[in-house]
Amino acid sequence: MKKLVMIFLMVASFTACKNANENKQSENLDKEKSQNATGEQQEEWQYLFDGANADGWRAYNSEDGLPEGWVIEGETLKSLGQGGDIGGDIVYGKEEYGEFELSLEWKISEGGNSGIFYHVVEDEKYDAPYYVAPEYQIIDQKGFPDKLEPWQSIGGDYGMYNPEYKEEDLKEVGEWNTSRITFTKDKVTYWLNGKKTVEFVPWSDDWEKRKTEGKWKDFPDYGTARKGLIGLQDHGSFTWFKNIKIRKL
């Protein structure tokens, strides 16, 4: 009898262990599937700059490659501060994007000013991307030598929507920041270092009012394009960009 009981207990223990292992394997499989699914999603990202070459990048309104004011330095795309209100900006000319999510990292020199353009349209009647393209503002918020208006501030939709941020959360000049833009016809969102700075509805009544009464009232084509190129601004500052990637929404 004792032998039978012992055999029964051994079988029961073996079965319990087997079931536990199977459950654990099933959990691991589910985890792997989740990781695979995430991996497949990440594969949708398209890198616009891989840190090795600037293939696809060129001066605005030009068929040539990078202008003299831009170089590849230490796996970054760097502006040398030779640009200004007109001239010096670059675009990724291989493809236009309408609804998208764009992510990149950047750092800027002391007192620096730069920006990220999207829906850029090239035409001889436009002297610079900002004639038509919205801009995510990049700037040394703490060290810029002139007083900044809210619409000129870091993480804002330049000239249109003021950003929300806490100054104590801003990184020191020269440190890397992460910026993200999501654009759909229903909502646009800007992020700085994981925190939302701006949210608005493009081409809404509120958007139109801000355009016609503000900074862009004399730029009739500003923001009207539904798709366009991605651009980076050289506004007279050393600015470094890396891990520039985009995916269509």
Side-chain angles (χ1 to χ4, degrees):
M1 176 64 75
K2 289 183 179 180
K3 287 186 178 181
L4 289 175
V5 172
M6 290 182 64
I7 292 172
F8 173 82
L9 291 174
M10 290 175 63
V11 171
S13 176
F14 174 81
T15 302
C17 290
K18 184 174 182 291
N19 290 338
N21 288 334
E22 288 176 348
N23 289 337
K24 187 174 182 180
Q25 289 174 357
S26 178
E27 290 173 0
N28 289 338
L29 182 59
D30 289 340
K31 186 177 180 181
E32 289 174 4
K33 288 179 179 178
S34 176
Q35 289 172 344
N36 288 339
T38 303
E40 290 171 1
Q41 186 177 17
Q42 292 302 311
E43 289 176 3
E44 296 175 6
W45 288 99
Q46 172 192 357
Y47 275 85
L48 305 187
F49 176 67
D50 63 4
N53 67 74
D55 186 30
W57 291 93
R58 54 177 171 75
Y60 177 70
N61 271 343
S62 173
E63 293 301 322
D64 298 328
L66 283 180
E68 292 183 357
W70 288 82
V71 296
I72 297 175
E73 179 183 279
E75 298 185 347
T76 71
L77 192 55
K78 177 185 177 182
S79 68
L80 299 179
Q82 299 178 8
D85 282 341
I86 304 297
D89 303 330
I90 60 173
V91 295
Y92 183 78
K94 282 190 171 184
E95 189 170 356
E96 294 183 335
Y97 301 91
E99 296 187 324
F100 62 86
E101 179 177 8
L102 175 70
S103 175
L104 56 77
E105 294 178 67
W106 61 270
K107 64 179 180 178
I108 198 164
S109 56
E110 185 176 354
N113 182 10
S114 184
I116 307 164
F117 296 114
Y118 57 90
H119 292 176
V120 177
V121 176
E122 292 182 299
D123 195 292
E124 290 183 357
K125 64 182 179 180
Y126 305 133
D127 292 331
Y130 65 78
Y131 276 54
V132 64
E135 177 187 349
Y136 177 115
Q137 174 73 325
I138 290 175
I139 200 162
D140 175 10
Q141 188 70 27
K142 296 180 180 180
F144 194 73
D146 301 323
K147 179 184 177 181
L148 293 172
E149 299 295 334
W151 54 267
Q152 296 174 303
S153 296
I154 189 169
D157 186 48
Y158 185 80
M160 289 287 281
Y161 289 90
N162 302 340
E164 295 183 4
Y165 65 91
K166 294 181 180 179
E167 189 157 327
E168 58 266 28
D169 291 339
L170 298 180
K171 295 193 175 184
E172 296 300 319
V173 66
E175 294 184 359
W176 285 104
N177 297 267
T178 300
S179 290
R180 183 159 60 96
I181 302 169
T182 59
F183 188 100
T184 72
K185 62 182 178 59
D186 299 315
K187 185 171 67 175
V188 183
T189 310
Y190 292 0
W191 303 79
L192 175 66
N193 297 323
K195 296 182 179 181
K196 181 169 64 175
T197 57
V198 163
E199 185 173 278
F200 62 92
V201 179
W203 312 303
S204 62
D205 291 343
D206 175 67
W207 184 93
E208 291 287 353
K209 186 174 187 297
R210 290 170 183 263
K211 174 186 171 180
T212 56
E213 296 180 1
K215 171 77 174 177
W216 309 112
K217 61 183 179 181
D218 297 324
F219 294 80
D221 293 338
Y222 170 83
T224 57
R226 302 296 168 119
K227 65 178 182 177
L229 305 175
I230 301 298
L232 299 175
Q233 185 182 54
D234 179 352
H235 205 282
S237 308
F238 290 126
T239 314
W240 295 259
F241 299 91
K242 67 178 181 178
N243 293 329
I244 308 171
K245 62 182 182 179
I246 194 168
R247 67 186 183 101
K248 295 178 180 179
L249 299 178

